[in-house]
Structures are given as structure tokens and as C-alpha cells.
Amino acid sequence: MKRIATVLFCLLALTLSSVAQAKKSPMKKSAGPAPDKAYLQKIWDGWATLNPDNVAKYYATGPHTFFDIAPLKYGSWDEYHNTVKGVVAGYKSAKFTVNDDAALHPHGDLVWATSTVAEEMTTKAGKVEMGNFRWTVVFENEDGKWVIVHEHVSAPVQ
């Protein structure tokens, strides 16, 4: 009797543990390859052109939150795009490099990533600004295309 009870208990525990496991949502079959470090660098290469039109394809439209160094927060890509145009107008060149600490975490139709990014920007007056900032980004697969639905860019307090 003890043997049967033990076997039944083990089967019950095994069944409950398999039911309790978190299920990962399957990636949509139409999804292209998940973002990788090269994809992250493409985004920053687009920003280096100092024209937000060149990165619009990487951002989701609609009400999404994007945090940047300044100003603090944008409620949509349109708001981000229009404000950043004025910010980058004061620069004549830029270079951004996704550092080797980039980490990507796929989870079904979402991928979140973190990295530090080295920046070198030259103002129209000729002043060179260099530094590193933090970048956290969330991508979502929308109709087979990986787009940014949330982004947070920040710089360490100097």
C-alpha cells in the first residue's frame, strides 16, 4: 500500500510541476530573425545620420513610451521624432557604438535588450562630446518585423 501511495504521490507531483511551468508564447511563424547585436548597431547607425526619419522603421507607431536623456519622456514615436529633430539640429556629426555588454533576451514575440552605447557627437560649433549612456529597449514582433515598443536611454550623473 505504501509503495502504491508513493508512486501515486510522485505521479501527482510530476503532473502538477509540469502544469505549473510557465509556458513561453511561441514566436509568430512570420517573424524574421530575432534582434541581435548587429540589429542594435543598425539602429544606432541610423541615429548617427542625425535624421530621425532614418530610424522610424525601427519604432512602433501609436501610444508607446520612450524615455530619452532630454527631454524626459515621449508618449509616441511621432512625438519623439518631432522633438528629436530639434535636438539633433545642433550637431554636424555623430557616431554611436553598441558596446560589448549588449545582452538580448528573447521571450516569444518580445525581445528586451540592454547595453551601454559609446557616443561621439560634434556640435555645429565644433565641440566634440564623448561619453557612454545606458540603453534598455523592448522589441515586439509586429507582422514579422521587430519594432521598438519601449525604449529608455539615460546617462550617468556627472
Side-chain angles (χ1 to χ4, degrees):
M1 188 67 164
K2 284 184 180 180
R3 186 176 288 169
I4 293 173
T6 302
V7 168
L8 287 175
F9 177 75
C10 289
L11 286 173
L12 178 63
L14 187 62
T15 301
L16 289 176
S17 69
S18 66
V19 169
Q21 272 185 331
K23 293 182 179 180
K24 289 186 177 180
S25 61
M27 229 182 250
K28 294 178 185 172
K29 291 186 192 270
S30 62
D36 57 9
K37 185 179 177 195
Y39 191 72
L40 301 180
Q41 187 59 57
K42 275 183 166 180
I43 294 166
W44 284 104
D45 289 344
W47 278 114
T49 67
L50 301 175
N51 182 349
D53 294 339
N54 294 332
V55 293
K57 65 184 173 187
Y58 298 112
Y59 287 82
T61 58
H64 297 285
T65 303
F66 306 108
F67 294 107
D68 204 348
I69 294 169
L72 182 64
K73 176 182 171 183
Y74 303 96
S76 69
W77 168 249
D78 289 336
E79 185 182 342
Y80 196 3
H81 174 274
N82 295 335
T83 305
V84 169
K85 271 189 169 184
V87 173
V88 298
Y91 292 88
K92 65 178 177 180
S93 69
K95 179 180 179 185
F96 301 103
T97 304
V98 175
N99 292 323
D100 289 336
D101 61 353
L104 292 104
H105 309 275
H107 185 74
D109 286 332
L110 297 173
V111 173
W112 61 276
T114 59
S115 183
T116 56
V117 178
E119 59 104 358
E120 182 177 322
M121 299 179 73
T122 305
T123 67
K124 287 191 175 174
K127 179 182 176 197
V128 177
E129 300 173 353
M130 296 176 68
N132 282 282
F133 53 84
R134 305 173 196 101
W135 185 40
T136 302
V137 62
V138 179
F139 296 93
E140 184 175 10
N141 173 24
E142 288 187 358
D143 300 321
K145 184 178 172 192
W146 292 98
V147 293
I148 298 170
V149 294
H150 177 72
E151 179 177 62
H152 189 131
V153 179
S154 63
V157 176
Q158 299 295 323

